[in-house]
Amino acid sequence: MKLLQLILNVLWVVFCGFWMALGYLVAAIICFVLIVTIPFGIASLRIAGYVLWPFGRTTVERPDAGAPSFIGNVIWLVFAGWWLALGHLLTSIPLFVSIIGIPFGWANLKLIPISLMPLGREVVPSDERFGAR
């Protein structure tokens, strides 16, 4: 199973993961420069790592996330989230057209919700059972 995850992640990086992670990195740098938005930059870096190497990991809602995360997600959605979601959508189109890239196209579409609302979520290994923490 770990070998399959490694192969999928390497193919992912080659076909779309690098470019999408670069988009998140640019968003993080902009957030760090603006100083007030540093928490958004941290979230963007966290998701950049996930987007770069997604297979074998998933995201879960943090139980301590509340109203501040929701408000932050609304701000993120307006200023950066929809750009990144659009990037995922546009990247998935050539993957779907290539037929062999259809699984990667679906994976790209599955990343859209976290690109829109990243705050209040954390990346965890997917082989960890739900509620085992």
Side-chain angles (χ1 to χ4, degrees):
M1 188 60 134
K2 297 288 184 186
L3 179 61
L4 180 61
Q5 289 173 358
L6 176 68
I7 292 169
L8 288 171
N9 279 319
V10 169
L11 290 172
W12 174 265
V13 167
V14 170
F15 290 117
C16 60
F18 175 75
W19 299 109
M20 289 309 303
L22 192 62
Y24 283 95
L25 183 62
V26 168
I29 290 170
I30 292 170
C31 289
F32 287 136
V33 167
L34 297 175
I35 297 179
V36 175
T37 55
I38 287 176
F40 299 111
I42 294 168
S44 186
L45 285 179
R46 183 178 62 245
I47 297 170
Y50 177 56
V51 167
L52 187 63
W53 207 257
F55 294 98
R57 300 190 300 169
T58 190
T59 62
V60 295
E61 290 185 31
R62 287 184 19 216
D64 60 342
S69 291
F70 177 75
I71 293 167
N73 278 328
V74 171
I75 294 168
W76 172 264
L77 175 67
V78 170
F79 291 105
W82 73 274
W83 284 102
L84 294 166
L86 183 63
H88 283 293
L89 183 64
L90 293 176
T91 305
S92 69
I93 292 170
L95 291 168
F96 281 119
V97 170
S98 72
I99 297 175
I100 199 166
I102 290 174
F104 294 117
W106 279 118
N108 225 337
L109 292 180
K110 288 181 181 181
L111 290 169
I112 289 176
I114 194 163
S115 71
L116 293 172
M117 304 277 185
L119 300 174
R121 301 196 62 87
E122 63 180 321
V123 179
V124 297
S126 61
D127 55 340
E128 182 178 282
R129 289 191 349 241
F130 181 74
R133 297 187 297 125

